[in-house]
Amino acid sequence: MGVTLQETDELLVAQTEIRHLKNTIQALRDEMEKVRFERDEAIAAAVSEANQEIQQLRATAGALRDELESLRFDKDEAVHGAIKDGQDEATQLRQTIQAIRDETDDVKFKYEDQIEQLTRHARDETKQLHDTIQALRDELEALKKNNA
């Protein structure tokens, strides 16, 4: 009932393959975590940048309102020109804000899609690894029964 050299070699090959598969799984997990981290950083940076720009735009809009109030007392014509300029700038700022929001959404969807693909790939590979492990177990069990 001793283990033969061939069985020992096959067991070592199977163990080595399992170790490689585990290392591959860990590498995929590490890569997925890295992608998640990079995505989260990119989203946080984009949100932070958008929030800073919104604050600056609000401060600019507040300053423009104050300036318009002081100009109202000077000349009606100057006020109308300033209002028109302010409206144009507000439109441009809204367009800029919308462009930043669109860009943020694009980045978010891109990274979510990448994460979904990596997750699907990892899940498929994990299933294949489980199937391989089961097949190796079945084969090992069959070898044990044949030798018994």
Side-chain angles (χ1 to χ4, degrees), residues 116-137:
E116 183 178 313
Q117 288 176 3
L118 286 172
T119 302
R120 187 174 35 252
H121 178 67
R123 187 176 47 240
D124 292 345
E125 187 168 311
T126 301
K127 183 183 180 328
Q128 289 174 354
L129 293 173
H130 283 295
D131 292 345
T132 300
I133 289 168
Q134 187 59 48
L136 289 171
R137 284 181 181 157

Side-chain angles (χ1 to χ4, degrees), residues 50 53-54 57 92-102:
E53 187 167 342
I54 288 169
L57 295 175
Q92 289 175 355
L93 294 175
R94 284 188 200 103
Q95 291 171 349
T96 300
I97 290 169
Q98 187 59 48
I100 290 170
R101 285 179 181 154
D102 292 344

Side-chain angles (χ1 to χ4, degrees), residues 5 10 18 24 27 31 35 54 61-62 76 78 80 82 104-105 125-126:
L5 185 57
E10 289 175 358
I18 289 170
T24 301
E31 181 64 24
V35 168
I54 288 169
D76 286 343
H80 293 297
T104 302
D105 287 344
E125 187 168 311
T126 301

Side-chain angles (χ1 to χ4, degrees), residues 5-85:
L5 185 57
Q6 182 181 4
E7 290 173 337
T8 302
D9 287 346
E10 289 175 358
L11 182 59
L12 287 174
V13 168
Q15 289 174 339
T16 301
E17 185 176 348
I18 289 170
R19 192 175 330 110
H20 287 302
L21 293 173
K22 285 181 179 180
N23 290 341
T24 301
I25 289 169
Q26 186 59 47
L28 287 171
R29 285 180 180 151
D30 293 343
E31 181 64 24
M32 190 169 57
E33 191 62 33
K34 178 182 171 188
V35 168
R36 282 183 185 154
F37 178 77
E38 289 173 355
R39 182 212 56 197
D40 290 345
E41 275 188 341
I43 289 171
V47 168
S48 175
E49 184 178 319
N51 286 335
Q52 288 176 357
E53 187 167 342
I54 288 169
Q55 289 175 352
Q56 290 174 351
L57 295 175
R58 286 180 180 162
T60 300
L64 286 173
R65 282 188 208 108
D66 293 342
E67 183 178 334
L68 287 174
E69 286 297 318
S70 68
L71 288 175
R72 187 177 300 172
F73 296 108
D74 295 340
K75 295 181 184 180
D76 286 343
E77 188 176 314
V79 169
H80 293 297
I83 289 172
K84 184 179 181 326
D85 292 344

